[in-house]
Amino acid sequence: RYVASEKDPLYLHSLRNRFLRTPNVEVAPVDANDPASIAAAGREFDTVLAVNVLETVDDVEASMRAVAGSLESGGRLIALVPQGPSLKGSLDETLGIRRRFRRENLAAILAGAGFQVEEMISLNRIGAAAWWLFGRVLRRRHINKITLKIFDKTVWLWRRIDGLLPWPGVSLVVVARKAEPPPARQ
């Protein structure tokens, strides 16, 4: 069973149309800012995937506690978040990104919500340089189509050198497991 969720009514409608004839996919309204709506989506999931969600949430830890409550014992959270508070700029404002995470801060938030971080992967180091230039230096609200097209055509090169660059990427993928409760004392 899969549950696709969204809070925006327009996107929710699109999801419902997309999965109309897919019996193992349920579409549910979920607002990551409302832990009760997270709980209402169901219980005992084995995995929760949160892509570009945590940076828009008011109380990340409360939302993550609600996610932990919806996971079965040992269940996993896989999240993609923007990384690097020093990159926050005009592009973030345009996209509604309210915060960027540091590895340590995200790990602490997740630990406080009942997760054990298994892995963190920094993505798109070359993108961090462009994000900084366009969002902090030039204060642009968008990256123009020509620049995006050039980037797209040169991804083969960036993928080869990305791991060699000395700074963190623009995004961070975290895989965390719901911590097992301590054994009951006898």
Side-chain angles (χ1 to χ4, degrees):
R1 172 177 167 240
Y2 297 92
V3 176
S5 64
E6 174 59 52
K7 73 175 184 176
D8 185 289
L10 181 63
Y11 293 130
L12 200 55
H13 178 74
S14 293
L15 278 173
R16 285 190 175 114
N17 285 338
R18 167 64 183 88
F19 294 111
L20 186 64
R21 290 185 175 82
T22 311
N24 63 330
V25 177
E26 175 187 333
V27 177
V30 173
D31 181 352
N33 273 312
D34 180 9
S37 88
I38 295 170
R43 295 252 182 245
E44 303 298 317
F45 291 108
D46 62 0
T47 306
V48 169
L49 178 64
V51 177
N52 294 322
V53 174
L54 304 184
E55 65 272 17
T56 66
V57 174
D58 294 327
D59 186 345
V60 179
E61 193 168 322
S63 293
M64 291 299 92
R65 281 193 302 271
V67 166
S70 72
L71 284 168
E72 64 188 25
S73 182
R76 284 194 171 109
L77 165 70
I78 302 170
L80 172 72
V81 300
Q83 180 176 219
S86 64
L87 295 176
K88 189 156 176 29
S90 57
L91 293 172
D92 295 271
E93 293 165 15
T94 298
L95 295 171
I97 296 172
R98 296 166 64 186
R99 73 181 57 77
R100 291 183 153 273
F101 293 90
R102 286 187 178 89
R103 288 172 169 263
E104 309 79 37
N105 299 60
L106 184 56
I109 289 168
L110 292 174
F115 287 97
Q116 294 173 333
V117 173
E118 293 183 332
E119 188 173 10
M120 286 192 176
I121 304 162
S122 184
L123 293 179
N124 193 4
R125 287 178 169 94
I126 194 66
W131 202 268
W132 177 81
L133 175 66
F134 279 87
R136 299 278 301 189
V137 176
L138 301 175
R139 301 288 302 155
R140 300 268 173 85
R141 304 216 39 97
H142 304 282
I143 298 176
N144 64 49
K145 288 182 181 182
I146 293 170
T147 302
L148 290 173
K149 186 94 164 165
I150 292 168
F151 181 80
D152 189 47
K153 294 294 181 186
T154 57
V155 164
W156 62 271
L157 171 66
W158 306 127
R159 283 190 9 208
R160 286 181 169 76
I161 66 170
D162 197 66
L164 303 173
L165 298 174
W167 56 81
V170 74
S171 298
L172 185 64
V173 174
V174 62
V175 178
R177 184 179 296 277
K178 180 179 176 177
E180 299 290 333
R185 291 188 171 191
Q186 297 180 359

